Amino acid sequence: MAKKAPKPKRAATAGEKKRARARPSRLQATPESQDGQQRQTVVEEPPDEQAPFPIVAVGASAGGLEAFSQLLEPLPASPGIAIVLVQHLAPKNASLLPELLSMHCKLPVRQVTEGTTVAPNRVYVIPPGASMTLHDGVLHLTQREGDHAHHTPIDTFFISLAEHAESAA
């Protein structure tokens, strides 16, 4: 009996690629069933740290700790997204936000430093007195100009996120 040549693979559609990024999986063959048919089951795999992933940004005023905590608390340890929290903070005071949020979150929470590369399954917090932008998956910081300048860190980051992450934002 001659073996059939394998079918050529067709290119994935944009929707199929998006679903594959959102929920990586692989097919696993199982033993033949009673009717002699080979069955396949889908096995979920953890998100690939290098694959495209959604970036979720949330902005809040200085009193946003409770809202951030309520948002993060129910999240699983590996949601496959990056979360960037942008809060209006006093420019000269140290922020305890990463430590406080870590008590309510299964994900690692860290304050952003210049050049931080965004990765899934992490929470990033803007430092006090800074504006933040995203470019090629890297967070960049600029210091706030004076105490009286019009400071809009949430707007600045959201515009940057929309321009650089596009549909992954």
Side-chain angles (χ1 to χ4, degrees):
M1 187 182 319
K3 283 190 170 185
K4 290 184 180 178
K7 282 185 174 181
K9 292 186 179 182
R10 68 174 176 79
T13 65
E16 290 169 335
K17 288 178 184 176
K18 187 174 182 180
R19 284 189 296 279
R21 286 191 308 265
R23 184 167 291 160
S25 63
R26 62 180 167 85
L27 292 178
Q28 183 177 51
T30 59
E32 291 182 2
S33 65
Q34 291 177 351
D35 62 3
Q37 295 289 327
Q38 185 89 23
R39 303 272 188 236
Q40 291 183 335
T41 57
V42 176
V43 178
E44 295 297 322
E45 294 181 348
D48 178 1
E49 296 285 317
Q50 301 302 317
F53 54 89
I55 300 173
V56 176
V58 182
S61 65
L65 174 61
E66 184 178 348
F68 285 158
S69 298
Q70 289 176 357
L71 172 74
L72 297 173
E73 198 159 26
L75 290 177
S78 187
I81 62 173
I83 301 170
V84 181
L85 303 177
V86 183
Q87 186 176 27
H88 286 284
L89 299 168
K92 296 187 192 243
N93 296 339
S95 173
L96 296 175
L97 191 58
E99 293 82 5
L100 295 170
L101 291 174
S102 291
M103 294 187 277
H104 300 277
C105 185
K106 297 174 190 83
L107 301 168
V109 180
R110 67 179 282 202
Q111 184 168 291
V112 174
T113 57
E114 172 56 32
T116 298
T117 300
V118 179
N121 307 317
R122 288 167 181 74
V123 177
Y124 300 94
V125 178
I126 190 172
S131 288
M132 185 168 56
T133 58
L134 177 75
H135 185 73
D136 293 331
V138 177
L139 295 169
H140 297 283
L141 300 173
T142 54
Q143 291 304 308
R144 180 176 178 173
E145 296 176 17
D147 288 336
H148 303 292
H150 186 65
H151 185 58
T152 57
I154 296 169
D155 293 345
T156 300
F157 185 72
F158 280 18
I159 291 166
S160 171
L161 179 63
E163 289 173 351
H164 295 282
E166 297 176 348
S167 64

